[in-house]
């Protein structure tokens, strides 16, 4: 953000004299006014100045944004004038020239104001300046989107304020540019009964899309055909194989017999409307066609089926259908395709997908293709690139969940390819040699790549509860530009509501308490999407962007309300990072957690955790930096430590976040206004529930560590302590579940299986059964005659936790390296540790980290990454393991106090 509120070539006194002279003419006293800025200027109205020769300013999308600003001002009684020059603006009005930064009108004004708008796409500026003795506010940008963002920023300020004109009087310029090229939100149609209403709502779409544009999302992604992973047991098939739900393709008699032609035609008409409305707001419209299978398997209860398609005509029909669809909907800016086996097409069907790619390439215009990364291999990628259209790849960020705000350092063991592993024919690549692409950025981060990488956040960890933390949002924003990545596609919070035939008519937010239901589901998440969109654009967004929204809703409680939700938001991503019971959202839902036993193997649906399938054996989602519960307990018993982050540290993070969230919510309740309104009540309930989730998982982590100490040592005291902690965890769950009682429906659905639907209270019997199992084990264990010293030490370490030491060292990371040249790394210390080890690998999830013992030299340790290793198309990542003693080992850089940094270094290729 630029801070320069004086015109160029003037002194402070000249500037102030001009300003005070103008205010005197207007009859406004200057006593007590600040020396700069116009915060107290009492304008009579607003004059919009648009040069008709400025192609950007008169474009349709900018004119739409001007209308939005005008509507907001008029709603608060402000008179509006439109004119073509500043000199024609009404005296006494606030004058807002609206112009492209390089236009004939804006260029000299900006130069005189000493303001420079970056010459990058979507850069925006709001610059207070002087035109003679008249104060003006220049709304400008490098291009259409930049100008739109400047206008929508003013509109948002007005909508969040009771004093519209004072809210847009700036004392210093606001000049911003985007960090991430792609800032997309993905809305999914997966339920006939839950999604038809919003899909066909003409009144909703303009308001929803305006909100997205205001929060600087630049792409809306509508996904069809993602209601099922596989075609077995389909019950709700609306839009599952999307083409015949939208089109009748000439030359083919492919149809949905249960669907009236009029409804099919209306679906296409609605798709045109949505795409038109999106583009009208300066955004791209992307259409996801996720399913290309058309034959349901063992699905006697399917509500819709496909007729007229055969194996022989399948590829040609899909080619012609997608080409026709792109012609019928010229505002579709891009298409997303899933090419692995869950598309309904056997992996390795290269000719089939080449045919589809040709349909996109030959639609009469350039339409980029976005490929889902799972199972994508070099041959398929090269085929896509050979189609001649721009290609992007979207790998999953943190598996099918949301973890801490960095790119995980490694994948879990189940995702690592295994030689000679048996796979299904359908999934022969994504379950075989390309399994590392399932839940990570895979091997797609080459420096010389001819495609873009746009990460995708899958809706797994958190589906219903509110979230929003500006600090985490900023860190995520930086992560999405990792090694030249272009941005992110966020699946919206309710993406999987009613999935796989589990839809229930009524409120998509799943409120039983009807007074809490918003008119449109997305209105619950206005703050969440504000933070996500604005930090994606600019991670250094001013805090007032969040506070003005919260002040409007909560008054004096705004700062505490912000802190409460921010702390609560950290909880589930932290749980997921340290404890990844399943990479699949269909098996692991920590928000409405189905209890996994500490003491017995019970849950069949958890198929991708290490054996035995018990709580303590679960792998972290990032096993390179975090320890599993059982591995940590082993370290406690053996006294040998790795330096990885431990379940006890994670538990403390969760306790701290829960405590801060709870205390901040209490402070907000004391100062907040409108506490009986649904906005505050939804806020309070969801934060309270996340506080309970944090304390439940933290306490269960401690219990499980103690239980494994018992398993290793037979120490009854460890088992007693484990049971005590487990019972405490159970009480945390009781409290959060009862908070949800009467608020959320008794059957909240994200799928058909019992662990994907129900209520938090439904999960309590599973917890109780496992507590009883542990109690019975304790009953059968006799007191120890003599406790083992290692057991005493291990239990004491659990119950008297110490904070990790901070590395007292310095290291200047390299920014680039030359392929084929050795990379020499040095880390310096005030006090030398006993040893140091370098961990490194290419930014390629197909590979595992290498390690080398570093050599001591004076007050530093050194190590070399060989020239042979750097001869690679990938960037390098690395970190250090520092051992002061066997019991004191730390990682560097590791996490900072806020845990909002990348915990390793990255070097890019020259």
């Amino acid at each position: 953000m630029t801070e320069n509120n004086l015109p160029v070539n003037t002194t402070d006194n000249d500037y102030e004299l001009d300003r005070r002279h103008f205010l005197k003419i207007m009859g406004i006293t200057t006593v007590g006014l600040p020396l700069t800025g116009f915060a107290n200027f009492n304008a009579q109205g607003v004059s919009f100045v648009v040069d008709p020769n400025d192609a950007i300013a008169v474009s349709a999308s900018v004119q739409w944004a001007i209308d939005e600003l005008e509507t907001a001002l008029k709603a608060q009684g402000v008179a509006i004038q439109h004119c073509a020059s500043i000199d024609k603006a009404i005296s006494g009005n606030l004058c807002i020239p609206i112009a492209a930064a390089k236009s004939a009108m804006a260029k000299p004004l900006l130069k005189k104001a000493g303001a420079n708008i970056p010459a990058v796409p979507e850069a925006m500026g709001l610059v207070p300046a002087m035109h003679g003795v008249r104060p003006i506010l220049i709304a400008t940008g490098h291009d259409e989107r930049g100008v739109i963002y400047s206008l929508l920023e003013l509109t948002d300020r007005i909508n969040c304020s009771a004093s519209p004109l004072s809210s847009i009087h700036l004392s210093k310029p606001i000049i911003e540019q985007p960090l991430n090229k792609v800032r997309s939100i993905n809305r999914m149609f997966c339920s006939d009964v839950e999604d038809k209403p919003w899909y066909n709502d003409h009144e909703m779409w303009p308001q929803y899309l305006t909100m997205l544009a205001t929060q600087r999302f630049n792409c809306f992604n509508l996904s069809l055909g993602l209601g099922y992973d596989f075609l077995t047991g389909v019950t709700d098939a609306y839009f599952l194989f999307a083409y015949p739900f939208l089109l009748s393709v000439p030359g083919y008699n492919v149809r949905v017999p249960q669907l009236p032609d009029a409804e099919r035609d209306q679906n296409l008409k609605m798709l045109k409307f949505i795409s038109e409305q999106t583009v009208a707001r300066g955004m791209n419209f992307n259409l996801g066609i996720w399913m290309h299978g058309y034959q349901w398997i063992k699905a006697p209860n399917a509500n819709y089926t496909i007729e007229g398609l055969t194996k022989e005509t399948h590829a040609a029909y899909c080619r012609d259908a997608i080409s026709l669809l792109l012609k019928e909907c010229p505002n579709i800016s891009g298409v997303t395709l899933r090419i692995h086996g869950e598309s309904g097409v056997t992996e390795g069907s290269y000719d089939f997908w080449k045919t589809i790619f040709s349909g996109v390439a030959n639609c009469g215009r350039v339409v980029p293709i976005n490929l889902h990364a799972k199972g994508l291999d070099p041959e398929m990628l090269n085929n896509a690139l050979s189609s001649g259209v721009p290609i992007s790849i979207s790998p999953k960020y943190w598996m099918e969940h949301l973890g801490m705000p960095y790119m995980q350092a490694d994948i879990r063991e189940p995702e690592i390819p295994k030689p000679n592993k048996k796979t299904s024919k359908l999934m022969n690549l994504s379950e075989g040699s390309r399994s590392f692409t399932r839940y990570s950025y895979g091997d797609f981060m080459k420096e010389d790549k001819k495609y873009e990488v746009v990460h995708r956040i899958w809706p797994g960890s958190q589906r219903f509860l509110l979230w929003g933390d500006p600090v985490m949002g900023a860190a995520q924003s930086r992560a999405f530009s990792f090694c030249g990545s272009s941005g992110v596609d966020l699946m919206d919070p309710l993406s999987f509501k009613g999935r796989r035939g589990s839809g229930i008519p009524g409120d998509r937010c799943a409120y039983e308490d009807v007074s809490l239901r918003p008119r449109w589901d997305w209105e619950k998440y206005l703050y969440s999407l504000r933070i996500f969109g604005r930090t994606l654009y600019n991670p250094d967004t001013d805090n007032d962007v969040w506070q003005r929204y919260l002040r409007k809703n909560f008054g004096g409680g705004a700062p505490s309300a912000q802190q409460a939700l921010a702390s609560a938001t950290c909880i589930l991503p932290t749980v997921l990072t340290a404890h990844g019971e399943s990479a699949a959202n269909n098996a692991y839902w920590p928000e409405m957690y189905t209890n996994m036993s500490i003491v017995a193997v019970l849950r069949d649906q958890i198929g991708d955790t290490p054996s035995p399938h018990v709580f303590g054996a679960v792998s972290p989602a990032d096993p390179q930096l975090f320890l599993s519960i059982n591995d940590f307990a082993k370290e406690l018993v053996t006294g040998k430590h790795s330096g990885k982050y431990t379940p006890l540290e994670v538990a403390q993070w969760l306790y701290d976040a829960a405590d801060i969230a709870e205390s901040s919510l209490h402070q907000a309740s004391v100062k907040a206004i409108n506490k009986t309104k649904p906005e505050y009540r939804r806020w309070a309930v969801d934060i309270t529930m996340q506080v309970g989730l944090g304390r439940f998982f933290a306490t269960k982590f401690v219990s499980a560590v103690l239980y494994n100490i018992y398993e290793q040592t037979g120490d009854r005291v460890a088992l007693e302590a484990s049971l005590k902690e487990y019972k405490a965890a159970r009480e945390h769950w009781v409290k959060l579940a009862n908070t949800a009682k009467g608020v959320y429906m008794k059957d909240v659905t994200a799928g058909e299986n019992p662990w994907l639907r129900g209520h938090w209270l439904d999960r309590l019997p599973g917890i109780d059964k496992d507590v009883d199992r542990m109690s019975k084990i304790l009953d059968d264990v006799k007191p120890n005659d003599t406790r083992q010293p290692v057991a005493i030490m291990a239990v004491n370490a659990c119950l008297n936790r110490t904070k990790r030491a901070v590395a007292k060292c310095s290291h200047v990371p390299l920014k680039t390296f030359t392929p084929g040249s050795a990379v020499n790394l040095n880390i310096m210390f005030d006090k030398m540790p006993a040893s140091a080890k370098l961990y490194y690998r290419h930014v390629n999830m197909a590979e595992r980290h290498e390690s080398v013992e570093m050599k001591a030299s004076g007050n530093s340790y050194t190590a070399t990454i060989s020239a042979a290793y750097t001869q690679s198309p990938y960037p390098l990542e690395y970190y250090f393991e520092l051992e002061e003693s066997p019991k004191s080992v730390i990682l560097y850089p590791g996490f900072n106090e806020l845990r909002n940094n990348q915990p390793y270094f990255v070097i890019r290729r020259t």
Side-chain angles (χ1 to χ4, degrees), residues 148-193:
I148 289 170
Y149 293 156
S150 71
L151 295 167
L152 294 180
E153 169 67 14
L154 296 176
T155 305
D156 187 60
R157 286 167 173 259
I158 292 163
N159 287 335
C160 290
S161 173
S163 303
L165 293 180
S166 63
S167 72
I168 61 174
H169 285 174
L170 307 182
S171 61
K172 57 185 178 182
I174 298 173
I175 297 175
E176 297 179 284
Q177 65 185 72
L179 176 63
N180 290 287
K181 177 182 176 181
V182 178
R183 306 179 302 281
S184 174
I185 190 161
N186 191 319
R187 192 171 177 92
M188 180 195 309
F189 188 112
C190 65
S191 170
D192 184 357
V193 297

Side-chain angles (χ1 to χ4, degrees), residues 73-84:
L73 287 165
K74 285 183 174 178
Q76 297 206 42
V78 178
I80 303 298
Q81 178 205 14
H82 291 270
C83 54

Side-chain angles (χ1 to χ4, degrees), residues 410-411 415-417 433-437 440-444 841-849 874:
D410 204 353
I411 54 178
E415 283 81 69
I416 298 173
S433 62
R434 301 292 292 173
S435 62
F436 63 91
T437 65
S440 75
Y441 57 69
D443 55 356
F444 301 119
R841 74 163 168 83
H842 301 120
V843 178
N844 177 4
M845 287 295 189
E847 302 178 13
R848 310 282 66 79
H849 282 76
Y874 296 97

Side-chain angles (χ1 to χ4, degrees), residues 46 81 100 237 262 297 390 487 627 669 678 782 792 844 895:
V46 173
Q81 178 205 14
I297 303 167
L627 281 169
S669 71
K782 295 179 181 180
I792 296 171
N844 177 4
F895 293 110

Side-chain angles (χ1 to χ4, degrees), residues 478-758:
R478 295 184 176 98
F480 298 136
S481 60
F482 179 76
C483 291
S485 300
S486 294
V488 69
D489 180 37
L490 169 70
M491 289 186 166
D492 81 358
L494 299 175
S495 287
F496 281 3
K497 180 67 173 74
R499 192 170 184 244
R500 303 204 306 200
S502 66
I504 298 173
D507 181 52
R508 287 191 81 228
C509 294
Y511 283 118
E512 180 177 303
D513 184 343
V514 296
S515 69
L516 293 174
R517 296 177 180 178
R519 180 181 180 187
W520 293 306
D521 57 78
W522 51 270
E523 291 179 303
K524 172 177 176 175
Y525 303 99
L526 287 173
Y527 182 75
S528 304
L529 297 175
R530 172 181 289 261
I531 285 179
F532 198 86
R534 291 296 296 264
T535 56
L536 271 182
Y537 178 88
N538 177 12
D540 297 317
T541 295
D542 192 276
N543 193 59
D544 183 66
V545 173
W546 334 124
Q547 277 294 295
R548 65 184 180 230
Y549 173 86
L550 296 177
R551 285 194 300 268
K552 178 181 178 181
N553 287 283
F554 306 141
S560 297
Q562 177 178 328
Q563 182 60 67
L565 186 59
S567 294
T569 296
C570 299
I571 288 171
L572 287 175
T574 300
V575 170
L576 181 279
T577 303
H579 190 78
E581 284 189 15
S582 176
N585 75 90
N586 292 326
Y588 183 33
W589 183 10
E591 181 184 54
M592 193 188 290
Y593 180 65
T594 298
N595 197 57
M596 189 176 194
S597 175
I598 292 177
V599 302
V601 178
L602 296 172
R603 288 180 63 193
D604 294 335
Q605 74 268 24
I606 298 296
D608 62 356
T609 59
S611 183
H613 297 315
V614 293
F615 191 79
V618 168
S619 170
D622 186 351
Q624 187 66 27
L625 300 182
F626 288 81
L627 281 169
S628 73
I629 287 166
N630 287 357
D631 286 344
F632 173 60
K634 184 177 180 180
E635 286 193 358
L636 287 177
V637 172
T638 62
K640 297 179 180 179
H641 294 269
S642 64
K644 293 183 180 181
Y645 291 92
T646 74
L648 294 187
E649 288 179 284
V650 173
Q652 193 60 55
W653 297 345
L654 295 173
Y655 284 133
D656 292 345
D659 290 348
I660 294 170
E662 184 176 64
S663 62
S664 297
L665 183 60
H666 173 71
Q667 294 168 18
S669 71
V670 173
K671 299 179 181 179
I673 60 173
N674 302 324
K675 286 186 287 186
T676 60
K677 289 189 175 181
E679 289 79 9
Y680 180 83
R681 292 165 56 213
R682 290 193 294 255
W683 198 276
V685 165
D686 285 7
I687 291 172
T688 300
M689 290 180 66
Q690 288 174 80
V691 166
L693 286 167
R695 288 172 176 163
F696 168 80
F697 279 107
T699 311
K700 190 176 180 184
F701 287 167
V702 176
S703 173
V705 172
L706 288 161
Y707 185 79
N708 194 255
I709 293 171
Y710 155 73
E711 288 187 307
Q712 292 183 67
T713 65
D715 187 69
R716 193 178 195 277
V717 174
L719 182 57
E720 289 173 348
S722 175
L723 181 59
K724 180 180 178 181
E725 295 290 332
Y726 209 171
K727 288 180 177 179
R730 186 246 184 216
E731 292 307 307
H732 290 310
W733 191 271
V734 169
K735 185 176 179 180
L736 80 90
N738 280 309
T739 299
K741 184 178 181 181
V743 175
Y744 285 99
M745 294 176 179
K746 296 179 179 64
D747 189 14
V748 179
T749 61
E752 80 286 20
N753 293 317
W755 56 87
L756 291 174
R757 67 187 307 164

